Amino acid sequence: MDSLHPETRGRSRASSAASSVMSNSSKRSLFGTIKDKVKRSSRSPSPNPNKMCYNPFSTPAPVTASHMAAGAPPTGAPPPYSEQPLPNPSISINQPINTQYRPPSPSPSATSILSTPEDPYAFLSIFDTIFLIDDSGSMSSQNRWKETKSALQSIAPICTAHDSDGVDVYFLNAKNTGHPSTGFIGRRTASSINQLFSDVHPNGWTPTGSRINNILGPYVKRYVELVKRGADADNTGIKPVNLIVITDGAASDDPEGVIIKLARKLDEVEAPSHQVGIQFFQVGNDAEAGRALRELDDGLKGVRDMVDTVSFDQRASWADGGGRVLSAEAILKTVLGAVVKRLDRRTVGGRQGGLLAPRS
């Protein structure tokens, strides 16, 4: 460098100094830009915590049936319901649903039943009453859907008055997508049950056995587990179940196999005879379907008798010029025939009397 002319060396040093200044200035500019962005970001308004953001990788938490978990005590808490007029339920026809179930209700105290001995339906108070209604395509013929609604108008008020947490209503095909059990749970008034008929219309097959298994299978499993863990078979702390199936009778699957399987499980732990009852209530006059239901009532061999059958053909009274309704005797047999053996043995129905009474 000493060999350079003094003037040249001066220009070189000046150039180096300028480059250094420009480099430092660029760095300050770069860092200043980053710093400004950070400041602006910190001054940005906070996101609204109430605003929903879609996350394609998120998975909703599953609904679990904890009351069916092994070792879990029965909660007895019924699902929430409203006494106010209910909105139209979400109905799904023949769509697969991951079915889960409500917990069994706790058994009531003896005093709550014995306090009204004059009430012929008082025994209903110890049961969870469940309606299973056939809404298959065949129910749309010969006024069967109308007859089903008419029968419920006679039966439902008695059942709702005697079930402290409300009755449950299931259909063979239509399912309530708003509840994990797919049933319409905790209906405390007859009007709230009748309301369902404006939303459900007959359509599809008759999977009676499958639906009975859906409803009673988890209950029987829970009951058997409690007894095997040491609970008294007569006092497990959960209500017995009274299932009333309203159907024209022609099942498209095998309800007999399902019922025998459930009965054997109950027999295995010596459950009381009234722990589970299934009442088949036939609407219409299909003779072959009627025979099939009577076979379920009288033809199950080697297991407990937990099935009863009655028939309701409202057209049998039309010849005399006036519609009739269920007689008091028929109502009693319908709501208790599957769980009270003396009523199971009682015969009512047909044109010869017993089932129908004049409309008042």
Side-chain angles (χ1 to χ4, degrees), residues 221-273:
K221 180 180 179 181
R222 177 67 179 142
Y223 173 83
V224 170
E225 286 175 350
L226 287 172
V227 175
K228 287 185 174 180
R229 289 203 301 268
D232 184 349
D234 291 302
N235 186 22
T236 57
I238 59 176
K239 280 184 175 182
V241 168
N242 186 26
L243 176 63
I244 300 174
V245 184
I246 303 179
T247 178
D248 61 4
S252 55
D253 59 1
D254 181 26
E256 179 178 348
V258 171
I259 294 170
I260 290 175
K261 181 180 178 181
L262 295 172
R264 284 175 177 164
K265 290 182 178 180
L266 293 169
D267 286 340
E268 181 184 351
V269 294
E270 299 182 352
S273 60

Side-chain angles (χ1 to χ4, degrees), residues 266-349:
L266 293 169
D267 286 340
E268 181 184 351
V269 294
E270 299 182 352
S273 60
H274 63 268
Q275 192 66 44
V276 174
I278 304 174
Q279 176 67 260
F280 285 99
F281 186 105
Q282 182 190 6
V283 294
N285 63 347
D286 188 317
E288 183 178 350
R291 282 193 297 272
L293 292 179
R294 287 192 295 274
E295 287 176 1
L296 292 176
D297 184 1
D298 303 322
L300 300 182
K301 304 300 182 183
V303 294
R304 64 180 49 220
D305 180 10
M306 62 182 196
V307 177
D308 188 30
T309 303
V310 294
S311 297
F312 176 51
D313 182 10
Q314 203 170 43
R315 291 171 303 156
S317 70
W318 291 355
D320 61 15
R324 296 189 179 189
V325 295
L326 286 172
S327 66
E329 182 184 10
I331 293 173
L332 185 63
K333 178 173 172 62
T334 298
V335 299
L336 286 171
V339 292
V340 177
K341 292 301 107 179
R342 63 178 175 82
L343 295 175
D344 185 2
R345 292 188 296 269
R346 185 178 299 176
T347 300
V348 296

Side-chain angles (χ1 to χ4, degrees), residues 30-348:
L30 174 61
F31 289 123
T33 300
I34 295 173
K35 189 174 181 181
D36 290 341
K37 288 182 178 179
V38 171
K39 287 182 178 179
R40 286 195 299 272
S41 176
S42 66
R43 290 194 298 268
S44 299
S46 300
N48 184 354
N50 296 321
K51 185 177 181 181
M52 298 296 293
C53 296
Y54 171 69
N55 182 352
F57 299 102
S58 65
T59 303
V63 178
T64 60
S66 58
H67 56 281
M68 290 300 170
T75 65
Y81 55 82
S82 172
E83 288 290 347
Q84 301 302 319
L86 300 174
N88 289 347
S90 300
I91 303 294
S92 169
I93 305 296
N94 289 331
Q95 292 185 8
I97 296 177
N98 182 20
T99 308
Q100 296 170 356
Y101 304 87
R102 72 178 298 212
S105 301
S107 57
S109 64
T111 55
S112 67
I113 302 167
L114 300 177
S115 60
T116 56
E118 72 282 0
D119 181 1
Y121 308 107
F123 193 45
L124 270 179
S125 300
I126 77 165
F127 292 92
D128 263 334
T129 298
I130 302 174
F131 287 110
L132 175 57
I133 300 173
D134 184 351
D135 61 340
S136 63
S138 61
M139 292 289 287
S140 62
S141 65
Q142 301 179 3
N143 278 328
R144 291 174 184 175
W145 193 240
K146 183 179 179 180
E147 288 183 13
T148 299
K149 184 176 181 180
S150 175
L152 275 172
Q153 287 174 344
S154 298
I155 302 168
I158 295 169
C159 295
T160 54
H162 290 82
D163 194 333
S164 59
D165 55 3
V167 304
D168 301 342
V169 181
Y170 292 81
F171 292 89
L172 291 186
N173 294 294
K175 297 177 177 64
N176 178 12
T177 58
H179 193 275
S181 72
T182 73
F184 301 87
I185 306 301
R187 299 273 161 157
R188 286 198 165 192
T189 63
S191 61
S192 69
I193 296 175
N194 289 334
Q195 179 189 350
L196 296 173
F197 281 79
S198 63
D199 299 283
V200 178
H201 304 282
N203 180 54
W205 298 97
T206 314
T208 309
S210 174
R211 229 25 194 143
I212 290 174
N213 190 56
N214 290 157
I215 296 166
L216 294 182
Y219 173 86
V220 171
K221 180 180 179 181
R222 177 67 179 142
Y223 173 83
V224 170
E225 286 175 350
L226 287 172
V227 175
K228 287 185 174 180
R229 289 203 301 268
D232 184 349
D234 291 302
N235 186 22
T236 57
I238 59 176
K239 280 184 175 182
V241 168
N242 186 26
L243 176 63
I244 300 174
V245 184
I246 303 179
T247 178
D248 61 4
S252 55
D253 59 1
D254 181 26
E256 179 178 348
V258 171
I259 294 170
I260 290 175
K261 181 180 178 181
L262 295 172
R264 284 175 177 164
K265 290 182 178 180
L266 293 169
D267 286 340
E268 181 184 351
V269 294
E270 299 182 352
S273 60
H274 63 268
Q275 192 66 44
V276 174
I278 304 174
Q279 176 67 260
F280 285 99
F281 186 105
Q282 182 190 6
V283 294
N285 63 347
D286 188 317
E288 183 178 350
R291 282 193 297 272
L293 292 179
R294 287 192 295 274
E295 287 176 1
L296 292 176
D297 184 1
D298 303 322
L300 300 182
K301 304 300 182 183
V303 294
R304 64 180 49 220
D305 180 10
M306 62 182 196
V307 177
D308 188 30
T309 303
V310 294
S311 297
F312 176 51
D313 182 10
Q314 203 170 43
R315 291 171 303 156
S317 70
W318 291 355
D320 61 15
R324 296 189 179 189
V325 295
L326 286 172
S327 66
E329 182 184 10
I331 293 173
L332 185 63
K333 178 173 172 62
T334 298
V335 299
L336 286 171
V339 292
V340 177
K341 292 301 107 179
R342 63 178 175 82
L343 295 175
D344 185 2
R345 292 188 296 269
R346 185 178 299 176
T347 300
V348 296

